[in-house]
Structures are given as structure tokens and as C-alpha cells.
């Protein structure tokens, strides 16, 4: 993973990501993909010992936030508290999450994460928990996620656009064994994926999930080991879900070979 940072490239990454809007996702505008090499430098740092509640819009000014105290274990245990706890309709933007990052960001309902960067993903980068809501991830990036980047536990639609991910398990996973299950629609567009990684998305066909991929660039995976869309049979009993195939089918995994570029 490249950690090179120059002022020019960092500024370009920030300005480019900030210019993106949720409206662009829904109107079909072409969004520039974030660059895996253009990781911004933080504008100061702040330790977080208790989850920060977010209502309305919070602009972090590109400050780095990291867990401390009860949020500072740096482990992968399930059930950790987040650094940021977003209320329904909240927007968090221009934030860098450092290490340890605990359980990243929680969204209780509809939310927007704009130009948010995870330097070292903790349990998950963000968890979406609302029911029948819309969640937007616009710009930003995440790396060093041993399991999932985005955990989709609630129901509704998750839009990820202009994002950069590297060194990860899955970019996004529709919960495979939550006690309450829903139909989940996931759209990933203009996103740069850098190996190593296991899968871009994992969805549950038995609950009617779908994953649409558009404008995906996969870097450093000449053997094509990263699975674009992994299908599962989900459950609500807590058991590990079983795999149910992979690849485009027009119903659950919605993409074609032209939607993915390898370089």
C-alpha cells in the first residue's frame, strides 16, 4: 500500500471528494473515483473516549479521530461502540478515522458519509441500521479491514460512490445472520478497489438483495481473485450463512464485464 502523500495530491483528493453530492448518485451523473494513493493528511488529531453523537451536519475539518479508553482496544470483537453515532438524517463529512477506530461509524437511520477516510478499519468502518432508509457514502476511502468495511444490518438502499478501498475482506456485506432480516439494495459506482481483498459485495438472495456495480476499477488483482458479487443464503438464527454462487445474473448481481476494469 502506498502511503506517499503530497500536498497537491491530498488537496486534490479532498476537494474532489467534497464536490460530490448525494444528488449526483440518484441523477446518474458520472462521479470521479477516489484514488487509492491520494490519502489525505490529517489536520490535527483528537482522542475519542465516548461515542460522539451526530445530528444534522458535522464537518470534521479533516481532523483525525481515534479511539481511546473504552474505545481504544483496537480489537475485532463484535458489539463495540462506534467513534461516531449518527442519528436519522445526519451527515458526517471531512473526517479521518485513525487507529484504533473501534466500530467506526453507526447510522441509526438515513445518513450521508462524505469524504470520510478510515486509515485502519476496526471492527467495521460503518454499520447501517435503519429500516427502509437510504444511506450514501460519497468519496473517501478505507484500508486495512481484516473483515468488512461496510456492514448493512438494516433495510433499504446503500449507495457507495467515488470510494477507494484497499487491503480488505469485503467492501460491503448485507448481514447474513441478523435476528431481523430485510431486503437490501446496494449500489457501488466509480469505486477503486486495490488488492488484497476477498469480495466487493456479499448479498442474501433469499431476502431479495441486489448489488449493482458500475465503473469499478480493480488494481493489482491480475488473477481476478477478488469476487465482485458473492451470493449467500442468509438466516435470522445467528448461524454462518452458506454461499449461493457468485457472478452476474441480472437479478441479484447486476453488472457486466464492461463495468469492471482491471489494471
Amino acid at each position: 500500500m502506498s502511503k506517499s502523500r503530497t500536498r497537491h495530491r491530498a488537496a486534490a483528493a479532498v476537494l474532489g471528494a467534497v464536490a460530490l453530492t448525494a444528488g449526483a448518485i440518484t441523477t446518474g451523473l458520472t462521479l470521479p473515483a477516489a484514488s487509492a494513493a491520494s490519502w489525505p493528511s490529517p489536520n490535527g488529531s483528537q482522542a475519542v473516549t465516548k461515542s460522539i453523537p451526530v445530528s444534522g451536519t458535522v464537518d470534521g475539518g479533516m481532523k483525525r479521530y481515534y479511539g481511546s479508553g473504552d474505545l481504544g482496544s483496537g480489537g475485532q470483537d463484535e458489539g463495540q461502540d462506534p467513534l461516531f453515532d449518527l442519528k436519522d438524517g445526519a451527515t458526517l463529512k471531512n473526517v479521518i478515522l485513525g487507529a484504533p477506530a473501534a466500530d467506526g461509524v453507526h447510522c441509526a437511520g438515513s445518513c450521508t458519509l462524505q469524504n470520510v477516510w478510515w486509515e485502519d478499519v476496526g471492527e467495521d468502518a460503518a454499520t447501517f441500521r435503519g429500516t427502509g432508509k437510504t444511506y450514501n457514502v460519497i468519496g473517501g476511502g478505507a484500508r486495512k479491514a481484516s473483515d468488512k468495511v461496510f456492514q448493512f444490518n438494516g433495510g433499504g438502499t446503500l449507495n457507495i460512490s467515488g470510494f477507494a478501498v484497499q487491503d480488505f475482506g469485503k467492501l460491503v456485506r448485507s448481514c447474513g445472520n441478523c435476528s431481523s432480516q430485510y431486503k437490501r439494495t446496494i449500489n457501488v459506482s466509480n469505486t477503486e478497489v486495490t488488492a488484497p481483498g476477498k469480495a466487493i459485495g456479499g448479498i442474501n438472495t433469499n431476502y431479495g438483495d441486489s448489488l449493482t456495480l458500475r465503473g469499478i476499477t480493480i488494481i493489482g488483482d491480475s488473477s481476478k481473485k477478488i469476487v465482485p458479487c458473492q451470493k449467500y443464503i442468509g438466516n435470522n438464527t445467528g448461524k454462518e450463512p452458506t454461499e449461493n454462487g457468485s457472478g452476474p445474473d441480472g437479478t441479484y448481481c447486476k453488472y457486466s464485464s464492461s463495468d469492471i476494469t482491471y489494471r
Side-chain angles (χ1 to χ4, degrees), residues 1-6 36-37 39 41 119 143-144 166:
M1 292 175 291
S2 173
K3 294 186 178 179
S4 62
R5 301 184 181 94
T6 65
W39 290 79
S41 298
E119 294 178 327
R143 60 189 177 191
K144 300 180 182 178
Q166 57 180 278

Side-chain angles (χ1 to χ4, degrees), residues 43-72:
N43 183 20
S45 296
Q46 178 177 327
V48 180
T49 58
K50 185 178 180 181
S51 299
I52 300 172
V54 176
S55 297
T57 298
V58 169
D59 188 330
M62 299 311 295
K63 181 184 289 187
R64 174 193 283 133
Y65 294 82
Y66 63 93
S68 182
D70 290 343
L71 297 178

Side-chain angles (χ1 to χ4, degrees), residues 136-207:
N136 295 311
V137 177
I138 307 166
R143 60 189 177 191
K144 300 180 182 178
S146 61
D147 190 7
K148 305 170 297 296
V149 176
F150 297 120
Q151 176 71 27
F152 197 176
N153 288 351
T157 300
L158 170 60
N159 301 306
I160 302 168
S161 186
F163 198 74
V165 62
Q166 57 180 278
D167 191 5
F168 64 103
K170 294 182 180 69
L171 172 59
V172 57
R173 176 67 170 104
S174 175
C175 185
N177 54 13
C178 285
S179 58
S180 296
Q181 290 285 25
Y182 311 93
K183 177 181 178 180
R184 303 175 179 102
T185 300
I186 303 171
N187 302 304
V188 182
S189 62
N190 301 299
T191 288
E192 189 172 81
V193 177
T194 302
K198 295 180 180 178
I200 296 176
I203 57 173
N204 306 312
T205 58
N206 56 318
Y207 294 121

